[in-house]
Amino acid sequence: MKKTTVLGVAAVAAATGWVARAAWGIPTQIGASRNTVQPYAAMSPRYRDRQFHNSEPSSTLVPGTDAGMFKSMATRGSTGRPRQPIPLATPLAPSVAGDAAVTWYGHSSVLVEVDGYRVLADPVWSERVSPSATVGPARMHPTPVALADLPTVDAIVISHDHYDHLDMATVKILTRTQTAPFVVPIGIGAHLRHWNVPENRIVELDWDESTKIDDLVLTCTEARHFSGRGLVRNTTQWASWVFAGPKHRVFFGGDSGYTSRFEQLGETYGPFDLTLLPVGAYDVRWPDIHMNPEEAVQTHIDLNKGDGSRGVFVPIHWATFNLAFHSWSEPIIRLNESAAEAGTTVSVPMPGGRIDALSPTPPSKWWIPLG
């Protein structure tokens, strides 16, 4: 056999092997099918024509911007990545949970403390946010703590089923290492059942529905976003969340575009001691489904009944995965400028850092050298 033929065969074999590795396990990662989800989703008044809908007309992508996005992806280079390694804080978990505190593990993964209870929200510990283990956005910093080293939590909450918020591998580990219920928007329970989470640990809620764990009330609230783990979108609900103890309240935004509905949520459930809101992965091509930093500040104000000085704003949904085209630190630079104008207290922890909303520490601009 000629040398060129041998090399050609080897190249084809290598490419075939790479494709096989990239595709391995994808059907399981995607989760439950639309037909499996539908009986649960159909119970919601917001489910029509076999999909969920936002209250306000929304588009995942501004019409006509597809070509420009593909060009941006091809030419962005290192945009969105820091110039230096992202520092990690050593996670500190007090023996007794605080009254209003949060530990940020990166992106939207947080451990919230409310009146002595602990809520783990949007935990994602995998290396990539993708159905493939070898293709897709990868971490820009390690996880600050192993899942097995987390303290015992009272609830595990999910905002929606995108891979950067709902991670199969993390769910499976938490099913073994924790006993807390998974509290999720309606329809996501089908994914959990597909991954062998016991039925008695699944609580599904629609917007403005609540569940109680002793004195802790978890309320599923509106967001302006979309869902989907494969080619079919909006088969499961997306949500923000209110965590309310007897004395303190925390708002977890998950992922959302700006909507005037947040003002109504503030009137119904606010004000909040701590607001956790997304500030990254925004773009003018998808303004309906990802808020920018200025809109996040306005959301904090809306949630606190028009008073921007109430509570502490901790930004999430940035720094860990490169999901858009802005620079790595731009969300925080813009956020701090907007918050200063509004008189809003912002605290930006390192990944692994803990913020006590009732005793906030002096701000550290640790992100500046990273660019």
Side-chain angles (χ1 to χ4, degrees), residues 13-239:
T16 302
W18 181 88
V19 171
R21 288 192 300 274
W24 179 261
I26 285 180
T28 305
Q29 290 274 4
I30 288 175
S33 68
R34 168 185 267 181
N35 288 338
T36 302
V37 174
Q38 187 170 3
Y40 302 94
M43 295 185 291
S44 172
R46 298 168 184 87
Y47 186 78
R48 305 182 305 276
D49 303 320
R50 302 188 74 194
Q51 63 180 336
F52 285 94
H53 298 264
N54 286 307
S55 294
E56 300 175 37
S58 303
S59 173
T60 55
L61 193 65
V62 173
T65 62
D66 307 57
M69 186 176 70
F70 292 132
K71 180 179 179 180
S72 295
M73 292 178 67
T75 60
R76 72 176 176 177
S78 62
T79 300
R81 298 183 175 277
R83 292 194 295 260
Q84 300 178 29
I86 298 169
L88 303 181
T90 301
L92 300 174
S95 57
V96 177
D99 291 329
V102 62
T103 300
W104 179 58
Y105 298 120
H107 200 57
S108 297
S109 300
V110 294
L111 181 64
V112 178
E113 302 166 46
V114 187
D115 289 337
Y117 296 92
R118 287 190 172 99
V119 179
L120 181 64
D122 282 5
V124 173
W125 257 250
S126 286
E127 181 64 22
R128 294 183 184 273
V129 287
S130 165
S132 170
T134 59
V135 178
R139 287 186 167 275
M140 294 187 286
H141 66 77
T143 53
V145 65
L147 274 174
D149 294 332
L150 291 179
T152 300
V153 302
D154 298 286
I156 302 164
V157 169
I158 305 297
S159 65
H160 63 295
D161 72 1
H162 286 158
Y163 292 96
D164 55 325
H165 297 261
L166 176 63
D167 176 47
M168 182 189 73
T170 301
V171 166
K172 289 190 170 186
I173 294 172
L174 290 172
T175 302
R176 297 195 306 267
T177 60
Q178 299 277 350
T179 60
F182 289 83
V183 185
V184 301
I186 193 165
I188 290 181
H191 294 317
L192 302 184
R193 295 179 190 96
H194 190 71
W195 301 329
N196 299 317
V197 176
E199 184 68 36
N200 64 359
R201 289 185 61 183
I202 300 172
V203 179
E204 291 184 82
L205 301 174
D206 203 352
W207 292 346
D208 295 312
E209 293 181 343
S210 300
T211 189
K212 287 191 70 175
I213 299 172
D214 297 327
D215 290 329
L216 175 67
V217 180
L218 307 176
T219 303
C220 181
T221 48
E222 187 163 351
R224 190 184 188 195
H225 201 53
F226 68 110
S227 65
R229 297 177 67 82
L231 298 177
V232 180
R233 290 180 172 175
N234 302 335
T235 60
T236 64
Q237 183 63 286
W238 48 93

